[in-house]
């Protein structure tokens, strides 16, 4: 196939996805596959969600991805010991031969996502192969790097997307033939999603997938911190090395569109009355005495016209919109494209957090990033803080900015459904 003129053609070697021997739970050694899975580490709402998952099964994957101990070093050592013990006891076993994996998720609302899990060659943003769209927090990258070094493993796949032509490409054809076969595993998690996993071992099918993916570039949909961690760890080792690759799920969103949701902010030490008082006429503020669902609809309508946010935490919702244009001119950097300057996340971080509320975006003692809307509101009301609820960004905006090399503010988007952690792991020792 001649890729000249293709929007994702690249003079470089393209995406290089490699088979590996996945580690998977032995279903005879655990209560159920659903009971040992977890959302990705940064989606688990701690401590409630963590405790719930830990109690679901003594072998739940959170004991590896979110180990609990008194110090960071002790946590990482505990995860490493737990992984070694589960391998020695046969709780986790390696598949007999290297393969790629087809992964499918379905829910009751008609969502169907299919993609390929493999070990992707790690590249730099300047290579134009794997495009980040968000900045990362250095302390999170350092934390994930310490955990990966200790365990010598990729414990959960990142979610990457690419855009095929919407028809049965080589990869899609292999996927759709593979799902007609008996899966390696099938389970339904408590969120209502069903998960199925198959292996691709046929050399011809592997070659088709690998050749097809060299024609594309990928967007990081979920896992910026883990991709930055892969890059850091690759730089620490002499190539060639297993650290040249990292575990990913690749989804063709022309064939299987994702949902894009917002990631909300919880401001720990800022009560709602103080947050509102600091605005002092700089935004229009309207109090909404309505249920959460209706408040989010009002937010969506306001976001169509400009920047808009919902504040919560005092038993009501407060819609912020129509910011003072002079305020935005003073606080939003002017050296970026208009599509970046007008993002809600840009205005939140540059104007509200930095200029009005004086809250550092990377201080976990002051701010938390939470995916679940209701959980954000509940925690704000329980703790006396302020929840800032966001409206999601369209995927096209995210991809267009990424192609320009412009990163969005941290935790701007939540693509989903995210791959469940615990279905397949990659150890770098095999």
């Amino acid at each position: 196939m001649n890729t000249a003129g293709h929007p994702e053609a690249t003079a470089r070697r393209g995406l290089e996805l490699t088979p590996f021997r996945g580690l998977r739970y032995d279903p005879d050694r655990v209560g159920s596959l659903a009971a040992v899975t977890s959302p990705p580490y940064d989606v688990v709402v701690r401590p409630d969600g963590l405790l719930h998952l830990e109690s679901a099964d003594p072998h739940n994957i959170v004991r590896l991805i979110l180990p609990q101990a008194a110090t960071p070093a002790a946590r990482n050592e505990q995860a490493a010991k737990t992984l070694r013990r589960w391998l020695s006891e046969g709780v986790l076993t390696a598949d007999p031969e290297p393969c790629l994996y087809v992964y499918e998720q379905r829910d009751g609302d008609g969502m169907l996502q299919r993609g390929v899990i493999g070990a992707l060659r790690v590249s730099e943003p300047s290579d134009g192969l794997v495009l980040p769209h968000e900045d990362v927090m250095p302390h999170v990258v350092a934390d994930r790097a310490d955990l990966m070094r200790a365990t010598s493993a990729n414990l959960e796949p990142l979610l990457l997307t690419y855009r095929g032509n919407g028809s049965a490409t080589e990869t899609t054809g292999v996927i759709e033939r593979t799902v007609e076969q008996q899966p390696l595993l099938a389970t339904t998690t408590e969120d209502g999603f069903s998960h199925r996993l198959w292996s691709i071992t046929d050399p011809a099918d592997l070659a088709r997938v690998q050749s097809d993916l060299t024609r594309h570039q990928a967007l990081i949909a979920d896992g910026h911190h883990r991709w930055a961690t892969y890059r850091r760890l690759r730089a620490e080792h002499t190539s060639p090395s297993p650290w040249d690759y990292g575990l990913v799920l690749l989804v063709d969103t022309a064939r299987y569109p994702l949902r894009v949701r917002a990631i909300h902010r919880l401001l720990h030490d800022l009560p709602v009355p103080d947050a509102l008082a600091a605005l002092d006429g700089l935004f229009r503020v309207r109090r909404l005495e309505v249920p959460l669902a209706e408040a989010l609809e009002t937010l969506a309508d306001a976001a169509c016209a400009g920047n808009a946010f919902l504040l919560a935490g005092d038993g009501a919702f407060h819609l912020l919109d129509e910011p003072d244009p002079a305020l935005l001119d003073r606080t939003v950097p002017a050296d970026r494209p208009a599509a970046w300057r007008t993002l809600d996340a840009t205005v939140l971080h540059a104007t509200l957090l930095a200029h009005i509320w004086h809250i550092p975006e990377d201080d976990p003692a002051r701010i938390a990033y939470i995916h679940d809307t209701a959980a954000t509101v509940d925690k704000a009301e329980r703790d006396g803080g302020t929840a800032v609820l966001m409206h999601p960004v369209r995927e096209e905006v995210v991809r267009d900015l990424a192609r320009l090399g412009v990163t969005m503010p941290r935790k701007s988007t939540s693509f989903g459904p995210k791959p469940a952690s615990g279905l397949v792991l990659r150890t770098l020792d095999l």
Side-chain angles (χ1 to χ4, degrees):
M1 173 180 173
N2 182 2
T3 62
H6 190 284
E8 292 178 356
T10 175
R12 303 174 181 87
R13 68 182 142 205
L15 300 175
E16 183 181 326
L17 194 68
T18 301
F20 69 103
R21 291 180 63 197
L23 294 183
R24 295 189 295 111
Y25 281 99
D26 181 343
D28 295 330
R29 301 298 302 273
V30 297
S32 73
L33 290 175
V36 295
T37 64
S38 164
Y41 79 98
D42 58 338
V43 182
V44 176
V45 178
R46 292 176 274 187
D48 298 348
L50 180 63
L51 295 174
H52 172 72
L53 290 165
E54 284 184 330
S55 62
D57 189 285
H59 300 108
N60 189 282
I61 191 68
V62 294
R63 297 180 187 276
L64 299 182
I65 63 175
L66 289 172
Q68 299 300 294
T71 66
R75 288 196 294 269
N76 295 326
E77 180 57 28
Q78 179 173 298
K81 289 180 178 177
T82 299
L83 178 58
R84 290 194 295 268
R85 185 174 73 253
W86 289 357
L87 287 168
S88 67
E89 294 174 352
V91 173
L92 287 169
T93 60
D95 282 327
E97 59 183 315
C99 58
L100 299 176
Y101 297 87
V102 172
Y103 176 49
E104 176 191 275
Q105 291 168 278
R106 289 180 183 266
D107 71 2
D109 298 326
M111 162 63 76
L112 171 62
Q113 177 175 290
R114 289 173 177 155
V116 179
I117 294 175
L120 184 69
R121 179 178 286 277
V122 178
S123 60
E124 295 299 314
S126 59
D127 295 331
L129 298 176
V130 177
L131 304 178
H133 69 267
E134 290 182 357
D135 295 329
V136 297
M137 291 175 264
H139 74 277
V140 177
V141 176
D143 174 73
R144 291 295 101 183
D146 289 342
L147 178 63
M148 287 189 204
R149 288 190 202 96
T151 58
S152 191
N154 301 151
L155 300 172
E156 44 186 349
L158 284 63
L159 175 59
L160 306 185
T161 73
Y162 67 99
R163 298 287 290 180
N165 59 13
S167 64
T169 63
E170 292 281 5
T171 298
T172 301
V174 171
I175 288 173
E176 295 182 357
R177 286 196 307 275
T178 301
V179 299
E180 298 299 319
Q181 304 167 14
Q182 188 73 16
L184 295 174
L185 65 84
T187 190
T188 299
T189 45
E190 64 180 11
D191 59 4
F193 272 92
S194 65
H195 307 260
R196 296 198 293 172
L197 191 76
W198 297 260
S199 61
I200 305 173
T201 57
D202 178 75
D205 283 342
L206 291 171
R208 289 186 185 98
V209 172
Q210 291 176 298
S211 175
D212 179 44
L213 291 175
T214 63
R215 304 182 177 106
H216 298 287
Q217 64 182 180
L219 175 73
I220 303 175
D222 185 67
H224 283 81
H225 290 90
R226 283 167 286 165
W227 183 256
T229 301
Y230 290 169
R231 289 170 47 215
R232 174 180 292 191
L233 294 174
R234 182 193 63 166
E236 294 176 0
H237 294 81
T238 302
S239 186
S241 135
W243 297 97
D244 291 343
Y245 298 83
L247 184 63
V248 305
L249 165 64
L250 273 165
V251 175
D252 177 359
T253 53
R255 189 73 167 180
Y256 300 106
L258 299 183
R259 293 171 177 156
V260 186
R261 293 192 169 104
I263 301 176
H264 310 296
R265 276 67 170 161
L266 176 63
L267 312 181
H268 295 301
D269 298 325
L270 184 66
V272 173
D274 293 351
L276 294 173
L279 296 173
D280 193 24
L282 298 173
F283 281 72
R284 183 173 69 166
V285 180
R286 287 177 282 167
R287 183 182 178 94
L288 308 177
E289 298 280 0
V290 298
L292 174 59
E294 189 174 335
L296 292 173
E297 290 177 3
T298 304
L299 173 63
D301 291 340
C304 291
N307 299 119
F309 312 90
L310 275 179
L311 302 191
D314 64 347
F317 296 100
H318 307 269
L319 179 67
L320 278 55
D321 65 355
E322 297 187 7
D324 178 3
L327 171 69
L328 299 184
D329 288 342
R330 292 196 310 272
T331 57
V332 175
D335 60 346
R336 304 286 183 90
W340 181 89
R341 297 197 306 272
T342 55
L343 289 169
D344 286 339
T346 297
V347 173
L348 171 63
H349 284 254
T351 304
L352 286 168
L353 291 179
H355 181 77
I356 295 176
W357 294 327
H358 306 291
I359 295 177
E361 63 183 22
D362 57 356
D363 183 353
R366 303 285 304 281
I367 185 170
Y369 298 83
I370 304 178
H371 295 71
D372 185 275
T373 309
T376 310
V377 175
D378 290 345
K379 288 179 74 66
E381 292 182 344
R382 191 164 60 239
D383 301 341
T386 294
V388 184
L389 306 183
M390 310 280 288
H391 184 67
V393 182
R394 299 191 320 277
E395 181 184 355
E396 310 88 79
V397 174
V398 176
R399 192 175 294 276
D400 288 347
L401 285 172
R403 284 176 172 157
L404 292 172
V406 177
T407 55
M408 298 169 67
R410 299 163 181 171
K411 299 292 184 181
S412 294
T413 58
S414 176
F415 284 86
K418 304 178 191 305
S421 299
L423 296 180
V424 61
L425 293 65
R426 173 178 178 251
T427 178
L428 282 79
D429 295 333
L430 288 177

